[in-house]
Amino acid sequence: MGALVRYTLFFTLVCQSHSLGVRNPLSRIKRYQENAWSLPNECPRTTQPVLLPNSNNFSMDIRMPGVIPTASESYLCVAIKVPTERASYIVDFMPHASMDTAHHMLLYGCNSPASTDSYWECGIERGPCRYDPKIIYAWARNAPPTKLPKDVGFKVGGDTTITHFVLQIHYGDVNAFRDGHRDCSGVTLRMTSKPQPYIAGIYLMMSKNTRILPGKRVTNADIECTYRFFPMYPFAFRTHTHQLGKVVSGYRVRDGQWTLIGRQSPQLPQAFYPAQNPVKVAYGDKLAARCVFTGEGKTSVTTIGGTSEDEMCNFYIMYYMDSKHAIPYMNCVEDGKSDLFKYIPNEANVPIPVSPDMMMTMQGHGHHTDVQDSSALPQPKREEEDVLDQVSHLEEMTDWPEVQLQLGQVSGLALDSNDNLVIFHRGDHRWEVSSFDNQRVYQQRSLGPIQQSTILVVDPVKGNVLRATGRNMFYLPHGISTDKNNDYWVTDVALHQVFKLGTNGGNQPLVVLGQAFEPGSDRKHFCQPTDVAEDPLTGNIYVSDGYCNSRILKFSPEGNYLMHWGAGSSDRRKRLPFKIPHSLTFLPDKRELCVADRENGRIQCFLAESGEFVKEIKKDEFGGEVFAVSYAPVHGGLIYAVNGESGYGQSVPLKGFVIDYSTKQILDSFSPDSQEFKMPHDIVVSNDGSVFVGDVATDSVIKFVSSEKAEHRSVKKGGIEVQEIEESETFVQTHLKPLHKLPVQTPDSGQLKVPEPPRKPEENHKVESVSKQSVQGTSAAIITTLLLIPLVVVIALGVFIRWRKTRMYRDGSEVKLEPSSSGGLLEKIRGKAGGGLNLGNFFATHKGYSRKGFDRLSTEGSDQEKDDEDATDSENEEYIAPPPPSTSS
């Protein structure tokens, strides 16, 4: 059984892709030429390595010795011994071939070649190696050179089993050799004897049982294996099918999450392309691949095999492993299971279009003319194009908030479970150059904590304050988030602490992490922590720490330390540390945590459970700084971010960005119309797609909505204004219209009164005129009276309350005014505290009123409090705005 499996594996390896259609007429004059071929019948020698100036480095050519294939679909092999007995490492591959001559070529590593001849036929009966062939390199369709990452190499010689290289070339159509030229195709290996810390290898996934039915538009070939080895790190991929293949995709699957390794059309140059997502494949992960074929234009069943009538489904992964545990070659030939592949991302099912011009320039040798070009198929949109169609441009809602918010530096934003906006601001405190010393110790403790309410819950539609809390607690607020219970998690960079606060408004934190005013870098200290994010499933919290520590810390819901990690990288040998991890967002559908690495101008995402690096998003449009990041689990995942001015990178406009999580493509960028971003500091996105940006330099929050909503709101608002004008005109006309005279019946008689004789026309006109004047005068008087009554009542009420309050204070008592259950102006008298009717608040919402300075702003449903220093937070604090700063930084 084992021999049968090995033979099947060997068979599928050597039967690489074959002819792809009628040979392009131009191909006869497009034969690949290179400087090394001075004459068509002369080939460079392949026996002696060429030493480079560095004695550790050398290169060697492996070429066909001027062969002329005698039959189409030929497989020819040539072997050469590894040039050194000690271990050496291949770091680059330079192909010398043209698809007009060679359909594809493979480089194997062998312990013993299948023949000692100068070259031999190495098809089905005699392969490249006697046993255990290991693919090192593959080329097809004019693929460019392959350069390995630094410190990574394919290990050969020494204690490995690879003592020989065997080059195998598949010649599809011998008509290419009618002119009598000899083929010298091959590859140059750049090598070094210097040990490499990471060893490269090839993981081959291939299907062996696929049947493509004639005329069937879509046939999927699925491959699936569970990985059972030490961790490997894919850095490149290659796809391979024959002519019927439309797209090949490979993934790592972990905990139900599919992470793309690579996706490409096999009709494009079959090179090793950089992996599309840096991933780590660990023990227990699944590797899955899908090839999509079409049987349209075929008249018979197509199966996997080694002729032009057959197909192939191969997905190559080029990876590296730690040299201590390296495995140079692995494979997977198991068919995929439907219960797994029903969750494969839709992108794997979408063909990648190849233009007819591209097909003409890459057309290989063969005999088939019956398969239509892929561009003739009705192609569905790519997933990223669907997302582009569904994501609308964001525009500022210039009339939000409807009530002016008096804020200090806006440092953090969050949303509660009702999508209410939560604002964290600094009141009358400012972060200035003198706020900290060189050891990051806060220098302005003498100012005391911020006396204003630092946490405001705001109606996202109108902008009025619903609740307020956080007085006399914080010195320099920074980040805020809400958990699944609507409790607040906040950071204070002056205190170097993280707090959990209940929504009841009490000033006693539920959890406190860190030591007050003590910066540090151990598990019990922070140094200017910036933000907090919660995992709604486990309740674990994550802290970005921060301005002077470059790490992310993970805690249990109770605040117990669990772990921490630093920045990630697709190339862990070039890991760039965090430079102010400034903002966090949790991706609940992906179980990931994304970090805005501010001064590095990038977004990095990690697995929340382990802290393993997943991906990095870094764009030129960011300009070197990313201040904040947020996430919406729609359209496959959208990341929202804002950039900032960089002191190191290029100067770019300050904007907000909408980014496709999967493709990393910027789908939209936005900025306000009524003002400019000065220092956008935080961003959140609500369930309805509204986006809020807090600007720390302008002490403001700006709301953005989709262009469709903005247009609809504008039209609707205009309609309301017109309707109000029309209703107002109707009201005036109705009250000024003369009343109709009716017959009068006496109270003591049932008989009608005898009508008076008709008057003369002049008399009628006179009476009607007098009646109109009388009615108009009466209506005007009524309207004037109705308008004066409320004013008189308000004045009287104010005098009465003033009199009552004066009398109470005279008696040594204190009063507190609360909203009545009906929400009217009259308040109940109870308890301890001072307060009164604030007419400034009553008129503040009217057009034309402009509040100067920072006056008291009434809060819906909140208690009025005295501004005593010993006042404590009630369940809903009064919102007191900070005084205007004299200077700001």
Side-chain angles (χ1 to χ4, degrees):
M1 182 65 182
L4 178 61
V5 171
R6 285 195 297 271
Y7 179 79
T8 303
L9 174 60
F10 172 75
F11 175 82
T12 53
L13 282 172
V14 299
C15 296
Q16 280 293 329
S17 62
H18 295 279
S19 53
L20 300 182
V22 172
R23 183 169 176 257
N24 191 330
L26 298 178
S27 65
R28 295 182 182 273
I29 60 173
K30 288 174 56 183
R31 189 170 62 249
Y32 186 83
Q33 300 288 335
E34 58 180 312
N35 295 334
W37 298 356
S38 57
L39 292 174
N41 290 330
E42 294 182 1
C43 295
R45 296 178 60 84
T46 63
T47 55
Q48 298 297 325
V50 178
L51 294 177
L52 300 180
N54 185 335
S55 59
N56 290 326
N57 301 334
F58 57 93
S59 66
M60 63 178 299
D61 276 341
I62 304 177
R63 305 279 190 131
M64 280 294 164
V67 301
I68 301 178
T70 59
S72 297
E73 310 298 345
S74 297
Y75 285 82
L76 299 182
C77 287
V78 61
I80 181 173
K81 187 175 176 60
V82 173
T84 61
E85 292 184 359
R86 63 177 180 174
S88 55
Y89 303 85
I90 307 169
V91 295
D92 287 329
F93 299 90
M94 299 290 294
H96 307 288
S98 167
M99 64 182 294
D100 297 318
T101 300
H103 181 269
H104 81 266
M105 62 182 177
L106 294 175
L107 182 67
Y108 292 90
C110 299
N111 179 264
S112 177
S115 174
T116 58
D117 297 338
S118 59
Y119 70 94
W120 69 94
E121 184 78 32
C122 53
I124 301 301
E125 294 182 2
R126 187 166 54 165
C129 306
R130 292 185 183 275
Y131 56 87
D132 195 21
K134 296 179 174 63
I135 296 179
I136 298 177
Y137 174 69
W139 172 95
R141 290 183 165 268
N142 293 341
T146 298
K147 182 177 177 62
L148 274 61
K150 185 181 179 182
D151 298 332
V152 174
F154 282 91
K155 185 178 180 181
V156 297
D159 57 357
T160 71
T161 60
I162 300 176
T163 60
H164 289 78
F165 297 120
V166 176
L167 176 68
Q168 181 193 68
I169 296 184
H170 170 210
Y171 298 98
D173 187 357
V174 295
N175 288 327
F177 294 90
R178 285 180 178 177
D179 57 3
H181 81 277
R182 297 176 180 273
D183 185 49
C184 306
S185 299
V187 61
T188 296
L189 307 181
R190 298 184 186 274
M191 305 178 67
T192 180
S193 59
K194 180 180 179 181
Q196 302 295 294
Y198 301 98
I199 304 303
I202 296 289
Y203 192 109
L204 173 60
M205 306 183 70
M206 55 188 176
S207 172
K208 59 185 180 183
N209 298 319
T210 300
R211 291 170 54 86
I212 304 169
L213 300 180
K216 187 175 181 181
R217 185 174 182 273
V218 175
T219 296
N220 295 327
D222 294 336
I223 313 161
E224 168 200 348
C225 281
T226 301
Y227 187 75
R228 302 293 187 188
F229 306 98
F230 287 99
M232 72 171 183
Y233 300 87
F235 63 87
F237 74 97
R238 176 179 181 262
T239 64
H240 180 79
T241 72
H242 296 174
Q243 189 177 359
L244 303 184
K246 298 303 173 186
V247 63
V248 182
S249 308
Y251 296 86
R252 182 201 68 181
V253 185
R254 175 183 292 173
D255 298 328
Q257 180 179 339
W258 293 66
T259 302
L260 181 67
I261 297 174
R263 171 177 175 263
Q264 187 57 281
S265 167
Q267 306 306 323
L268 295 174
Q270 294 181 359
F272 276 98
Y273 295 93
Q276 293 176 336
N277 284 299
V279 298
K280 170 186 175 183
V281 181
Y283 186 93
D285 290 341
K286 288 187 180 295
L287 290 169
R290 167 170 286 182
C291 299
V292 177
F293 298 97
T294 180
E296 291 185 338
K298 300 293 290 183
T299 58
S300 60
V301 175
T302 305
T303 59
I304 299 298
T307 73
S308 300
E309 299 297 328
D310 299 322
E311 263 297 341
M312 293 289 290
C313 170
N314 290 358
F315 184 80
Y316 295 83
I317 300 173
M318 191 176 284
Y319 61 87
Y320 66 81
M321 302 176 71
D322 189 283
S323 59
K324 297 178 182 178
H325 311 295
I327 302 173
Y329 176 79
M330 294 179 276
N331 66 81
C332 170
V333 294
E334 300 296 326
D335 293 336
K337 300 178 179 62
S338 59
D339 58 344
L340 174 69
F341 279 83
K342 65 182 180 181
Y343 299 111
I344 191 170
N346 184 61
E347 63 189 356
N349 304 315
V350 181
I352 296 178
V354 179
S355 68
D357 292 340
M358 191 178 298
M359 290 293 292
M360 285 292 293
T361 58
M362 297 188 307
Q363 193 75 293
H365 304 298
H367 311 287
H368 299 290
T369 62
D370 53 346
V371 179
Q372 299 175 1
D373 190 274
S374 62
S375 62
L377 291 173
Q379 303 284 349
K381 288 183 178 180
R382 295 194 195 185
E383 186 178 22
E384 55 266 29
E385 292 175 348
D386 290 337
V387 174
L388 274 171
D389 291 341
Q390 298 174 31
V391 175
S392 300
H393 177 62
L394 292 171
E395 296 182 357
E396 180 189 5
M397 183 177 285
T398 55
D399 58 351
W400 190 94
E402 297 178 6
V403 178
Q404 184 179 1
L405 295 174
Q406 299 293 336
L407 303 169
Q409 290 182 330
V410 178
S411 61
L413 300 176
L415 294 165
D416 63 20
S417 60
N418 296 318
D419 253 7
N420 293 319
L421 178 66
V422 184
I423 302 174
F424 199 27
H425 72 109
R426 295 172 183 158
D428 57 358
H429 285 203
R430 315 288 292 185
W431 189 340
E432 300 171 335
V433 176
S434 59
S435 297
F436 295 88
D437 63 13
N438 293 333
Q439 284 72 45
R440 305 301 178 102
V441 176
Y442 187 57
Q443 299 296 297
Q444 297 172 338
R445 293 177 62 177
S446 60
L447 297 177
I450 301 169
Q451 297 183 10
Q452 295 83 24
S453 302
T454 55
I455 301 175
L456 308 179
V457 181
V458 174
D459 181 356
V461 177
K462 296 184 177 181
N464 55 295
V465 178
L466 305 178
R467 291 187 302 277
T469 187
R471 294 179 58 192
N472 297 311
M473 295 183 66
F474 304 111
Y475 288 78
L476 276 182
H478 200 277
I480 186 169
S481 65
T482 57
D483 62 19
K484 58 187 176 183
N485 299 318
N486 275 341
D487 293 330
Y488 307 129
W489 285 92
V490 300
T491 69
D492 189 309
V493 292
L495 288 166
H496 304 286
Q497 287 181 302
V498 176
F499 302 90
K500 178 182 180 180
L501 305 175
T503 54
N504 59 6
N507 60 352
Q508 292 300 319
L510 304 179
V511 176
V512 179
L513 303 176
Q515 304 298 318
F517 299 110
E518 293 183 10
S521 57
D522 57 25
R523 297 181 179 183
K524 295 184 179 180
H525 289 82
F526 302 105
C527 189
Q528 294 178 339
T530 54
D531 203 6
V532 185
E534 188 225 20
D535 180 346
L537 185 62
T538 64
N540 294 330
I541 66 162
Y542 303 83
V543 179
S544 50
D545 182 34
Y547 280 91
C548 27
N549 290 331
S550 299
R551 60 181 181 172
I552 306 298
L553 296 99
K554 180 178 178 180
F555 297 87
S556 71
E558 298 76 27
N560 298 319
Y561 170 86
L562 298 177
M563 64 180 297
H564 72 273
W565 66 82
S569 173
S570 56
D571 186 349
R572 55 181 180 171
R573 293 156 293 118
K574 298 180 180 179
R575 187 170 295 170
L576 184 66
F578 285 131
K579 198 170 184 180
I580 308 182
H582 195 255
S583 172
L584 300 176
T585 187
F586 193 86
L587 285 54
D589 57 331
K590 303 183 184 300
R591 310 291 305 149
E592 294 178 10
L593 180 79
C594 290
V595 184
D597 188 6
R598 195 180 98 173
E599 299 299 308
N600 283 324
R602 64 187 180 181
I603 300 167
Q604 290 202 329
C605 299
F606 304 83
L607 293 179
E609 182 63 27
S610 62
E612 178 186 339
F613 176 74
V614 175
K615 68 167 54 180
E616 176 177 300
I617 302 174
K618 186 178 178 71
K619 298 290 185 180
D620 292 338
E621 291 86 345
F622 295 165
E625 291 206 1
V626 178
F627 265 66
V629 63
S630 187
Y631 179 76
V634 296
H635 308 314
L638 298 179
I639 290 180
Y640 293 75
V642 288
N643 66 343
E645 291 186 357
S646 174
Y648 309 97
Q650 57 183 333
S651 177
V652 299
L654 300 185
K655 291 184 177 181
F657 301 93
V658 184
I659 305 164
D660 188 314
Y661 170 86
S662 299
T663 66
K664 305 180 187 179
Q665 179 183 3
I666 294 178
L667 305 176
D668 183 34
S669 61
F670 56 93
S671 58
D673 298 322
S674 63
Q675 56 183 302
E676 292 184 352
F677 279 142
K678 295 297 184 182
M679 188 181 288
H681 198 263
D682 204 1
I683 184 171
V684 291
V685 54
S686 64
N687 290 327
D688 67 356
S690 299
V691 175
F692 299 88
V693 177
D695 195 310
V696 75
T698 60
D699 302 349
S700 64
V701 179
I702 306 169
K703 180 178 180 179
F704 298 86
V705 296
S706 65
S707 55
E708 289 85 352
K709 287 185 179 180
E711 182 178 357
H712 174 72
R713 177 181 173 85
S714 176
V715 172
K716 183 178 178 182
K717 183 178 178 182
I720 292 174
E721 290 175 349
V722 171
Q723 183 180 1
E724 287 175 349
I725 293 173
E726 292 176 348
E727 289 179 351
S728 177
E729 292 176 350
T730 304
F731 175 82
V732 174
Q733 291 173 0
T734 300
H735 285 76
L736 294 181
K737 186 176 180 179
L739 300 174
H740 295 286
K741 292 178 64 90
L742 298 176
V744 181
Q745 191 173 21
T746 59
D748 56 351
S749 172
Q751 296 179 352
L752 288 175
K753 204 171 184 182
V754 178
E756 297 179 359
R759 295 184 177 90
K760 295 180 180 180
E762 309 87 60
E763 293 176 340
N764 287 334
H765 176 74
K766 183 177 179 180
V767 170
E768 289 173 2
S769 179
V770 172
S771 298
K772 288 181 181 179
Q773 294 176 2
S774 176
V775 171
Q776 291 176 355
T778 304
S779 301
I782 293 174
I783 293 173
T784 302
T785 303
L786 290 175
L787 291 174
L788 288 175
I789 288 175
L791 181 60
V792 173
V793 170
V794 170
I795 294 174
L797 182 62
V799 172
F800 173 75
I801 292 175
R802 182 67 179 175
W803 173 75
R804 290 284 296 172
K805 186 166 65 174
T806 304
R807 180 179 178 184
M808 290 177 192
Y809 281 134
R810 205 167 41 237
D811 295 338
S813 60
E814 294 178 330
V815 300
K816 182 170 183 177
L817 300 179
E818 293 183 317
S820 66
S821 59
S822 63
L825 292 174
L826 294 175
E827 312 283 347
K828 296 179 181 178
I829 300 176
R830 74 173 180 93
K832 177 182 178 181
L837 179 65
N838 190 342
L839 292 180
N841 292 334
F842 176 78
F843 290 114
T845 59
H846 286 66
K847 186 175 181 181
Y849 178 87
S850 175
R851 185 190 303 275
K852 302 296 184 182
F854 293 80
D855 296 333
R856 184 189 305 267
L857 177 65
S858 63
T859 306
E860 180 181 338
S862 67
D863 297 333
Q864 301 291 333
E865 298 176 336
K866 288 183 65 177
D867 291 335
D868 297 338
E869 293 183 358
D870 59 349
T872 59
D873 291 344
S874 64
E875 180 174 354
N876 296 314
E877 288 183 0
E878 174 197 16
Y879 163 48
I880 304 178
S886 56
T887 60
S888 62
S889 60

